[in-house]
Amino acid sequence: YYEGGIKEFVSYLNKSKTPIHPKVIYVSGKDEENEIEIEIALQYTEDYNINIHSFVNNVTTPGGGTHEEGVRNALTRVLNSYGKSNNLLRKDESFSGDDVREGLTAIICCRHPDPQFEGQTKDKLGSMEVRKIASQVLSEGLDRHLKENPSVGKIIIEKAALASRARLAAKKAREATRRK
């Protein structure tokens, strides 16, 4: 339990790290038809590790699942779109999912009236409708946040661009070594 909810949880997870933007980004939404609620809190740090925790009805889902997939897809799509529309990316440049998640700490909470899990251990959400809802909630909320806070958007895009360039440089170095 955290007084400030999942935003405070993200701050707690990042207390030994250096955030690259001061405030935790928080978005939430509800699909009235299916009665599914999604809450997402995220913050980037100078770290290189990805720290994503997901929950369904307050139970942790270590295997992730459709709610996490929706968030990952939306994050990549929104940051690529934002970077290109604000001329923060080169024409030929686009981010991979790993590029935009480097240094990310995120909490994804889903409240679902009848969740379907995969596997015997039930550690991965399998409800297919959640992927679209989670993706839509993050897309709309993050896009709005980046437009309202362009300095935060620029910092996040720069971090992802640095990760992308490092990935491409490592790939070229591997290929050069293999050719020799």
Side-chain angles (χ1 to χ4, degrees), residues 6-75:
I6 62 174
K7 284 173 30 176
E8 189 176 325
F9 191 9
V10 169
S11 296
Y12 171 78
L13 292 172
N14 286 341
K15 73 179 179 188
S16 64
K17 301 173 186 167
T18 308
I20 62 170
H21 54 92
K23 289 187 177 176
V24 174
I25 300 169
Y26 173 81
V27 297
S28 65
K30 184 174 183 177
D31 179 59
E32 299 294 336
E33 181 184 329
N34 297 311
E35 296 179 18
I36 298 171
E37 291 179 57
I38 301 286
E39 278 186 286
I40 304 155
L42 56 95
Q43 186 175 41
Y44 282 88
T45 64
E46 291 179 356
D47 203 12
Y48 299 106
N49 298 321
I50 301 166
N51 191 6
I52 298 175
H53 298 279
S54 57
F55 301 87
V56 175
N57 298 338
N58 295 330
V59 177
T60 186
T61 50
T66 54
H67 54 327
E68 208 171 296
E69 290 169 19
V71 167
R72 286 196 313 254
N73 294 343
L75 188 65

